[in-house]
Amino acid sequence: MPGLLQLGLLLVALAVVYKPLGDHMAKVYSSEKHWRVEKAVYRVTRVDPGSQQHWKTYASAVLGFSAVSVILLFLLQRLQSLLPLDFGRGPVPVGVAFNTAISFVTNTNWQSYVPESTMGHTVQMVGLTVQNFLSAAVGMAVAVALVRGFTRSGTDRIGNFWVDLVRGTIRVLLPMAFISAIVLVALGVTMSLKSGVDVVNPDGSSSTIALAPTASQEAIKELGTNGGGVFNANSAHPFENPNGWTNLVEIFLIMVIPVSLTRTFGVLAGNRRHGYVLLSVMGAIWGAMLAVIWWAEAHPNGPAALLAGAAMEGKEQRFGIAGSALFANATTGTSTGAVNAMHDSFTGLGGGGTILNMLFGELTPGGVGTGLYSILIMAVIAMFLAGLMVGRTPEYLGKKLGRREVTCAAIAMLAMPTVVLLGAGAALVLPATTGVLNNPGEHGLSEVLYAYASAGNNNGSAFAGITVTSDWFQTTLGLCMLFGRFIPILAVLCLAGSLAAQKTVPRTAGTLPTTGPLFATMLGGTVVLVAALTFIPALALGPIAEALA
Amino acid sequence: MTTTETLRHTEPEAAPTANTGRVGAGVFNPRQLLTSLPDALRKLDPRHQARNPVMFVVWVGSLLVTVFAVAEPSGFTIAVAIWLWFTVLFANLAEAVAEGRGKAQAESLRRTKRDTMARRLVEGGEELVSGALLRVGDRVVVEAGEVIPGDGDIVEGIATVDESAITGESAPVIRESGGDRSAVTGGTTVLSDRIVVQIATKPGESFVDRMIALVEGAQRQKTPNEIALTILLSTLTIIFLLAVVALQPMSTYSGSRQSVTVLTALLVCLIPTTIGALLSAIGIAGMDRLVQRNVLATSGRAVEAAGDVSTLLLDKTGTITFGNRRATELFPVGTATAADLAAAARLSSLADGTPEGRSIVELCVAEHGLPAEPTQAERAGESVPFTAQTRMSGIDIGGRQIRKGAASAVRAWVGEQGGVVPDEVHEIVDRIAAEGGTPLVVAEGPVVRGVVRLSDVVKPGMRERFAELRAMGIRTVMITGDNALTAKAIAGQAGVDDFLAEAKPEDKMALIRKEQEGGRLVAMTGDGTNDAPALAQADVGVAMNSGTMAAKEAGNMVDLDSDPTKLIEVVEIGKQLLITRGALTTFSIANDLAKYFAILPAMFAAVYPQLDKLNITHLHSPNSAILSAVIFNALVIVGLIPLALRGVRYRPAGAQALLRRNLLVYGLGGIVTPFAGIWLIDLLVRLLPGM
């Protein structure tokens, strides 16, 4: 399929779904009614769905729920040998189990293991897939809580986490994942509870090809911007992503919720143009990065690549340059981390593009929910400066941005660069880690930077090329995922609480409109400038040096 | 009248005004940089630096590089160390210059605070005590030629007072017991008569004491917005600190370990030193700009709030209209022509000293070319003054009897002489009253000549002012004791957005509360004791210096000129303060891009020569590039001191237009300027040895 046609189809599909899905999600999170199945869940879990939570209660619920999730997932992996459908794969090693538990609960899905030889179907289905749903629902809940902070006035309540979690799962993720899985199966994705099939190879030898309940996991893997594959090759594996059509569907699934959430935001904020502005900023950066990556992969400068006409090393023939660039840009721009090509084999510029996509803070359009709250944090920072420049105490959506709001936004903004820079820096000096790099020089640095950018931003994709199974990497990357996820979440919920408590300031002619191109420019400029200023030195020694060579 | 013109007009001259000793601190004088140098050096004290996180990082960096410069001296390290110290010094200089202007004012104020002896009233007479021993509630006698020993209200008597020591205004003012002009300030001099003053403040907390503390910045605390901005700047500093700290292992891995000098230079160039250095100067200068306009704010918080105000409550009389009603139109009746009526009206008012009377003469002079001064013959006439009984005034001259007065009084007088007031007159009188004016009927003997309309005259330029305010998003509400009809007519003429008629103090209070409920910030002016609660409730309450002590205590600003229209300027100064902060922050951050382009290729020229493609201005050598960036970073602080003190140019405009302009100038300008600046500096630096 020609590249531009793929891009065109993707954009048309997103445009078609944008309004109905966005409106649906707005209704999901603001409706007064509870579905019967939800009521049953509340009865069993003894939750009062009518109660509203203070931000601290909400935050405790998020943290508590996630902590329990990590422990359960850890135990499930450690006790694998007691579970059915384990195919004798045995207990998952402690380091891997720790890292994986954090990885899936934080919506990162960094995989330091080979799935088809480590995880049985029970752990996959009951553990990992369940977290694929729940971690995505947590992201959306936090985003919606922040939106409530903007829209509510003079209250200290920002919603009920349990209700938001249940509704996001039952009313948004489950139905969409169900339909998507059926579509994927129809297009050729496998679905099996067998451990594998024995085949006789052309040379007469025999081997086993692993099987898995792929389609059901593939759907939520992309839809929830999770990215953890049931096969090691992830979406490059022919069972996960057999052809150009499934590739396009998967890219669509990656983008659809983060994109439509801007509509949800606009509807809830009472003016859809607020959502369009965010979408335009996300879209402009996403489009620019796609152009860079696509161009870079189509114009490589190595002798082998020149012979092939494009950088085809590490890419699947069935996707080609366009299908790979589109997928790479979508997966790194959304904190998904699924891959259909080896990012490590991308050109210096193209690979650098995928790193930069993550270093923007995963907001183009970002992960499910996380993308929305991340760009709102940047909007707070941008509006603080813009507000000063028009001579008023800065405000956004009628809420003043004072000391507490700026502090919260600053903490949320600070968490990711801290873990990425410190993590990558430390990994590069420790003698124990440098030995595991397969590439020296600037490309080696890119690989380490990629790993920490991926963990810190809860993306989960890997440049690969480095062996990350040492205790050092398992632990530090695990911590990066934890801090990269929960410090911003805490700051965002604190911000939501402080915003909700404020009265809404009425709009006047002196209020800076936040629906026009000027604000979009300001916001986009802030996102790009902050990422650029923070990471230019690191990028210069990795991808930039590589690209300019 | 545009605002910029207004601002320029009110800018006092830089020369000290004669006998008052108050220093006008107008434009920035480069000599202040030299005179403030000792203060700037004193501020190198780490305890002072620690209050400013951004500059503290620079301070620590300077120390670090100095240690290396001493341990392993090289031309480059020494040069970097020197310029890092200059960076700190320039920041101190900015603050010292801003404070210096206030200090000069405080010094002149302090001279007025010599200890005065007070004549305290005690049972059975008076005793002589030191002014410093007076307590709240004490009553003191002050007579002509004596200095008032403390702040208080006059409880007995009336006097002319010379307040030039406080206001700089040399014309004496009248202060009297009771009413809204009863407050007197310690340190001012009674010129005539005898008054008894009840002391209202403790020693050391008087108005002058507070004024000194304010202009000196001694009590300066960071304002809420300043704190929020400091948090953001600290965050950026931490991010850059992390970026630089992480750069060393990355450099080492890449095979080009960096010296501490280079890393510190990079860090200092990246962190927002420009705004960090100028932030406190901007705040002090904002207060100072108010002081230059003779407005004293009790806190920086109030100045910031002024920029946020979205509703202005303005008293009609004195603020929107001239204080008195003025003659605006003549309506001749019967056989009289307009000229006849003008002649009669003028004659009747020649001896009338009231503002209304004078305004009638002025109207006749302006519209009918009649002489302003009475002629020899007219002086011979016998004037009939206004009395409460006749409710008329006029003149008897050459057998003519001319009277003017309220319609009912003139009708009675005309009737006594056998005349009849035509219906036409009643119609005109009713119409004028309905339109919010006051009709005066003029009669000569038994014949009514016509009617003069007296009306409130809106000050010129108010309409435009209110239109500007509307563009800035500020709603104006006129407060008046007039009835709704009159109020509506004036409100329409003045172009205010809303009015409150027949307003009692509690109505004012209710209006403020209602606006605040809706999330709006309210500003108002007031002078009377009954204004005090509203002044206290308003977010910005500007009390007139001529007002009562209670009003001055309740408000958070005092206007020494007692000019209620100044509220509009106060709002503009508040906005200018915030804009200056925002603009310089944007400039500071935008600068970093060019610094990366200068420093990074220089740092890694050895291992990655391809990075030299980023050296787009072709800086001479790695050393010269880094040093040039450091020097630019320091010099830009000095270059922006005048802007920080003066404030960014502010024109009332919509938010979009303001942001677009400031983004272009300070955002885009901030990206481009350092490329040029560093390139220019590099042209010189490359001539140094060792570059």
Side-chain angles (χ1 to χ4, degrees):
Chain A
M1 212 175 342
L4 285 175
L5 181 65
Q6 291 183 43
L7 179 61
L9 283 175
L10 173 67
L11 295 182
V12 167
L14 288 173
V16 168
V17 177
Y18 182 68
K19 183 176 176 302
L21 180 58
D23 291 352
H24 169 68
M25 289 191 287
K27 212 184 289 167
V28 165
Y29 290 107
S30 55
S31 156
E32 297 285 317
K33 288 197 189 114
H34 304 289
W35 287 5
R36 195 170 298 160
V37 53
E38 291 168 357
K39 281 188 193 153
V41 174
Y42 300 142
R43 252 197 310 278
V44 172
T45 52
R46 302 177 66 184
V47 165
D48 171 13
S51 71
Q52 290 279 313
Q53 292 171 326
H54 188 267
W55 78 264
K56 286 181 184 163
T57 321
Y58 202 103
S60 313
V62 172
L63 290 187
F65 178 75
S66 301
V68 170
S69 298
V70 169
I71 293 167
L72 287 181
L73 195 51
F74 177 80
L75 289 178
L76 205 62
Q77 296 174 75
R78 294 294 294 152
L79 300 175
Q80 175 159 256
S81 49
L82 308 178
L83 301 170
L85 294 177
D86 70 320
F87 311 119
R89 286 169 193 172
V92 179
V94 176
V96 175
F98 166 79
N99 187 287
T100 307
I102 290 176
S103 167
F104 277 73
V105 171
T106 55
N107 197 256
T108 312
N109 299 32
W110 173 266
Q111 293 168 290
S112 60
Y113 57 90
V114 176
E116 48 267 56
S117 63
T118 314
M119 304 289 178
H121 292 346
T122 310
V123 172
Q124 286 281 11
M125 292 189 297
V126 180
L128 305 183
T129 305
V130 167
Q131 279 310 320
N132 279 354
F133 278 97
L134 295 180
S135 64
V138 168
M140 288 201 283
V142 172
V144 167
L146 178 58
V147 176
R148 287 196 192 109
F150 281 110
T151 56
R152 290 187 180 179
S153 171
T155 171
D156 59 352
R157 308 286 144 149
I158 57 168
N160 184 320
F161 170 69
W162 307 112
V163 173
D164 293 339
L165 178 72
V166 167
R167 285 189 182 179
T169 309
I170 292 182
R171 298 194 198 182
V172 180
L173 296 172
L174 272 173
M176 288 179 74
F178 183 77
I179 297 168
S180 310
I182 291 174
V183 170
L184 287 174
V185 168
L187 290 172
V189 176
T190 62
M191 186 75 192
S192 167
L193 285 177
K194 283 192 190 151
S195 73
V197 284
D198 296 326
V199 292
V200 179
N201 297 322
D203 64 356
S205 64
S206 67
S207 59
T208 308
I209 297 178
L211 284 172
T214 318
S216 61
Q217 304 218 53
E218 193 68 17
I220 189 61
K221 171 187 121 184
E222 317 294 11
L223 189 66
T225 61
N226 293 288
V230 288
F231 298 113
N232 197 34
N234 210 305
S235 286
H237 196 290
F239 290 172
E240 284 200 28
N241 193 3
N243 54 52
W245 285 107
T246 54
N247 194 50
L248 199 56
V249 168
E250 287 180 16
I251 296 171
F252 168 78
L253 290 178
I254 286 173
M255 308 275 298
V256 67
I257 292 183
V259 164
S260 304
L261 270 175
T262 58
R263 166 89 183 185
T264 310
F265 170 68
V267 171
L268 292 177
N271 183 350
R272 281 171 231 145
R273 287 166 61 188
H274 287 306
Y276 299 152
V277 164
L278 298 191
L279 182 62
S280 70
V281 174
M282 293 170 166
I285 298 177
W286 186 84
M289 294 307 293
L290 175 66
V292 168
I293 295 172
W294 195 336
W295 183 88
E297 295 315 298
H299 299 81
N301 51 10
L306 283 175
L307 205 62
M312 281 308 293
E313 181 199 308
K315 296 192 181 66
E316 297 293 307
Q317 278 297 338
R318 62 187 188 282
F319 306 135
I321 293 293
S324 304
L326 208 51
F327 200 104
N329 192 50
T331 193
T332 50
T334 56
S335 91
T336 305
V339 286
N340 76 349
M342 295 296 282
H343 291 182
D344 196 25
S345 302
F346 275 33
T347 58
L349 186 59
T354 60
I355 299 179
L356 186 57
N357 256 336
M358 295 187 281
L359 294 180
F360 282 134
E362 293 297 20
L363 40 73
T364 59
V368 165
T370 61
L372 181 60
Y373 69 66
S374 298
I375 202 161
L376 284 174
I377 289 292
M378 294 313 290
V380 166
I381 300 283
M383 274 314 284
F384 183 77
L385 283 182
L388 283 183
M389 277 194 282
V390 303
R392 283 168 64 110
T393 295
E395 59 193 57
Y396 182 51
L397 298 176
K399 296 301 174 88
K400 297 219 158 163
L401 308 176
R403 176 187 187 160
R404 197 166 154 205
E405 291 75 21
V406 170
T407 309
C408 293
I411 291 173
M413 188 173 79
L414 199 53
M416 185 273 283
T418 308
V419 296
V420 172
L421 287 170
L422 291 185
L428 283 169
V429 276
L430 289 179
T433 55
T434 42
V436 303
L437 294 176
N438 299 341
N439 291 288
E442 59 267 46
H443 196 73
L445 193 139
S446 295
E447 290 170 349
V448 173
L449 183 61
Y450 194 109
Y452 284 91
S454 175
N457 282 292
N458 298 142
N459 182 286
S461 63
F463 229 29
I466 53 174
T467 314
V468 291
T469 46
S470 71
D471 285 345
W472 161 264
F473 278 109
Q474 297 285 27
T475 315
T476 55
L477 290 173
L479 292 176
C480 280
M481 290 186 262
L482 268 186
F483 293 137
R485 169 87 164 175
F486 291 108
I487 291 175
I489 282 184
L490 280 180
V492 162
L493 290 175
C494 174
L495 176 64
S498 139
L499 291 171
Q502 285 186 37
K503 284 195 191 114
T504 306
V505 181
R507 289 188 52 81
T508 69
T511 313
L512 187 66
T514 46
T515 49
L518 190 61
F519 171 66
T521 312
M522 183 84 197
L523 175 56
T526 308
V527 169
V528 173
L529 205 63
V530 166
L533 294 182
T534 313
F535 293 110
I536 278 183
L539 291 171
L541 294 180
I544 296 179
E546 201 180 338
L548 290 178
Chain B
M1 198 194 306
T2 69
T3 315
T4 37
E5 272 168 2
T6 325
L7 293 181
R8 209 173 304 127
H9 283 308
T10 49
E11 198 108 34
E13 295 302 315
T17 43
N19 50 29
T20 65
R22 262 168 58 78
V23 179
V27 266
F28 168 72
N29 181 347
R31 271 193 51 205
Q32 286 170 299
L33 288 179
L34 272 182
T35 52
S36 304
L37 205 54
D39 277 331
L41 287 169
R42 255 194 298 279
K43 285 174 190 284
L44 285 175
D45 185 335
R47 280 166 300 178
H48 180 84
Q49 294 295 322
R51 287 169 52 193
N52 182 338
V54 179
M55 293 318 295
F56 186 64
V57 171
V58 183
W59 188 88
V60 172
S62 310
L63 204 61
L64 209 59
V65 175
T66 309
V67 170
F68 276 85
V70 172
E72 305 161 17
S74 79
F76 173 71
T77 312
I78 292 169
V80 170
I82 290 174
W83 279 97
L84 289 181
W85 281 117
F86 271 140
T87 312
V88 183
L89 197 62
F90 291 159
N92 293 345
L93 207 51
E95 197 177 76
V97 168
E99 285 173 352
R101 305 161 136 212
K103 283 215 178 88
Q105 283 165 332
E107 208 43 56
S108 65
L109 277 170
R110 212 167 258 134
R111 263 180 261 136
T112 71
K113 233 183 79 74
R114 56 179 182 264
D115 189 29
T116 44
M117 293 310 281
R119 292 159 61 186
R120 179 159 64 182
L121 284 177
V122 287
E123 255 175 82
E126 54 184 63
E127 60 175 8
L128 213 57
V129 297
S130 161
L133 295 175
L134 291 173
R135 292 287 168 268
V136 176
D138 283 353
R139 291 180 173 212
V140 295
V141 176
V142 192
E143 280 184 304
E146 294 176 348
V147 174
I148 298 173
D151 296 357
D153 285 302
I154 302 178
V155 289
E156 198 184 307
I158 175 168
T160 48
V161 179
D162 175 6
E163 294 193 336
S164 59
I166 308 293
T167 63
E169 172 63 57
S170 53
V173 293
I174 292 178
R175 294 281 178 263
E176 58 185 323
S177 63
D180 290 344
R181 291 173 176 274
S182 63
V184 287
T185 312
T188 57
T189 312
V190 172
L191 294 180
S192 71
D193 303 286
R194 171 187 187 274
I195 48 173
V196 176
V197 176
Q198 178 162 339
I199 299 297
T201 55
K202 284 186 222 148
E205 291 174 16
S206 73
F207 191 63
V208 173
D209 289 318
R210 268 166 42 204
M211 206 162 143
I212 291 172
L214 278 169
V215 293
E216 262 191 334
Q219 292 179 345
R220 211 181 91 79
Q221 287 178 329
K222 283 187 178 159
T223 58
N225 174 266
E226 211 177 336
I227 293 172
L229 182 54
T230 307
I231 291 169
L232 183 65
L233 296 179
S234 308
T235 308
L236 289 171
T237 307
I238 295 172
I239 290 184
F240 288 126
L241 193 60
L242 288 168
V244 172
V245 165
L247 188 55
Q248 182 67 313
M250 293 184 191
S251 313
T252 312
Y253 166 85
S254 307
S256 83
R257 193 179 166 79
Q258 298 296 318
S259 70
V260 172
T261 306
V262 168
L263 288 174
T264 311
L266 176 65
L267 176 64
V268 169
C269 285
L270 293 179
I271 61 177
T273 46
T274 313
I275 178 67
L278 297 173
L279 188 58
S280 75
I282 294 170
I284 298 168
M287 294 282 274
D288 192 50
R289 278 198 293 281
L290 275 182
V291 175
Q292 285 169 41
R293 283 166 185 75
N294 265 354
V295 177
L296 293 178
T298 53
S299 70
R301 189 183 285 257
V303 186
E304 257 172 28
D308 279 347
V309 159
S310 47
T311 308
L312 272 190
L313 303 190
L314 297 169
D315 279 325
K316 183 201 78 176
T317 310
T319 308
I320 296 175
T321 64
F322 288 106
N324 301 296
R325 299 181 161 223
R326 298 168 68 97
T328 50
E329 209 174 351
L330 300 175
F331 298 90
V333 295
T335 56
T337 63
D340 293 340
L341 172 59
R346 173 176 165 274
L347 272 177
S348 71
S349 306
L350 277 176
D352 183 349
T354 64
E356 287 86 356
R358 281 203 303 273
S359 78
I360 293 175
V361 176
E362 280 163 20
L363 181 72
C364 297
V365 170
E367 295 196 351
H368 296 277
L370 298 171
E373 295 299 318
T375 61
Q376 205 63 32
E378 283 162 355
R379 284 188 206 281
E382 189 189 332
S383 65
V384 179
F386 180 89
T387 67
Q389 284 78 39
T390 61
R391 292 190 292 141
M392 290 188 304
S393 64
I395 192 168
D396 292 342
I397 183 170
R400 295 167 72 187
Q401 286 187 309
I402 304 171
R403 297 289 182 275
K404 70 167 197 293
S408 57
V410 175
R411 186 168 55 223
W413 186 70
V414 167
E416 275 170 30
Q417 304 186 56
V420 177
V421 176
D423 288 345
E424 197 189 349
V425 172
H426 294 298
E427 278 169 29
I428 295 171
V429 164
D430 290 346
R431 200 175 69 229
I432 292 175
E435 286 169 4
T438 308
L440 280 186
V441 179
V442 180
E444 185 169 352
V447 184
V448 173
R449 290 297 187 182
V451 186
V452 179
R453 184 215 294 268
L454 292 180
S455 48
D456 274 320
V457 178
V458 174
K459 289 182 177 174
M462 291 314 279
R463 222 189 151 76
E464 291 73 22
R465 267 290 174 92
F466 294 142
E468 279 175 4
L469 286 170
R470 203 167 300 122
M472 287 153 63
I474 297 172
R475 214 166 66 91
T476 43
V477 181
M478 182 183 86
I479 311 285
T480 172
D482 292 345
N483 63 48
L485 206 62
T486 312
K488 191 174 177 200
I490 303 287
Q493 276 178 42
V496 294
D497 297 296
D498 203 354
F499 64 89
L500 184 66
E502 292 171 20
K504 294 184 289 294
E506 52 270 30
D507 297 338
K508 223 180 199 176
M509 192 73 182
L511 179 67
I512 294 177
R513 286 235 172 85
K514 201 185 88 196
E515 294 284 323
Q516 288 175 336
E517 277 295 298
R520 296 183 188 85
L521 262 59
V522 183
M524 67 169 285
T525 58
D527 52 7
T529 299
N530 56 16
D531 282 334
L535 278 172
Q537 177 74 28
D539 301 283
V540 177
V542 183
M544 302 293 105
N545 189 45
S546 61
T548 60
M549 213 57 217
K552 288 203 252 177
E553 290 286 335
N556 44 20
M557 292 188 198
V558 175
D559 178 16
L560 299 175
D561 296 340
S562 304
D563 170 11
T565 47
K566 215 182 266 172
L567 192 51
I568 298 170
E569 277 169 47
V570 171
V571 168
E572 288 177 355
I573 289 173
K575 286 193 177 296
Q576 200 188 23
L577 176 70
L578 293 181
I579 294 177
T580 308
R581 278 188 200 143
L584 290 183
T585 306
T586 308
F587 184 82
S588 195
I589 298 171
N591 266 321
D592 282 356
L593 216 54
K595 293 172 188 165
Y596 269 137
F597 275 88
I599 296 181
L600 283 179
M603 285 173 83
F604 301 109
V607 279
Y608 295 127
Q610 66 264 37
L611 287 180
D612 201 51
K613 287 175 191 160
L614 300 179
N615 179 9
I616 53 177
T617 47
H618 301 293
L619 302 176
H620 176 66
S621 70
N623 279 0
S624 79
I626 294 168
L627 185 59
S628 300
V630 172
I631 294 176
F632 173 83
N633 193 52
L635 288 182
V636 81
I637 296 173
V638 181
L640 289 172
I641 289 179
L643 184 72
L645 297 186
R646 199 180 59 227
V648 166
R649 199 156 58 106
Y650 174 69
R651 272 205 202 121
Q656 288 266 67
L658 272 176
L659 179 61
R660 193 174 301 122
R661 180 180 175 277
N662 288 326
L663 263 186
L664 269 178
V665 176
Y666 298 98
L668 211 55
I671 291 177
V672 178
T673 314
F675 277 107
I678 293 173
W679 176 72
L680 279 173
I681 293 169
D682 182 71
L683 291 182
L684 294 174
V685 166
R686 67 177 61 172
L687 304 175
L688 292 175
M691 289 296 144

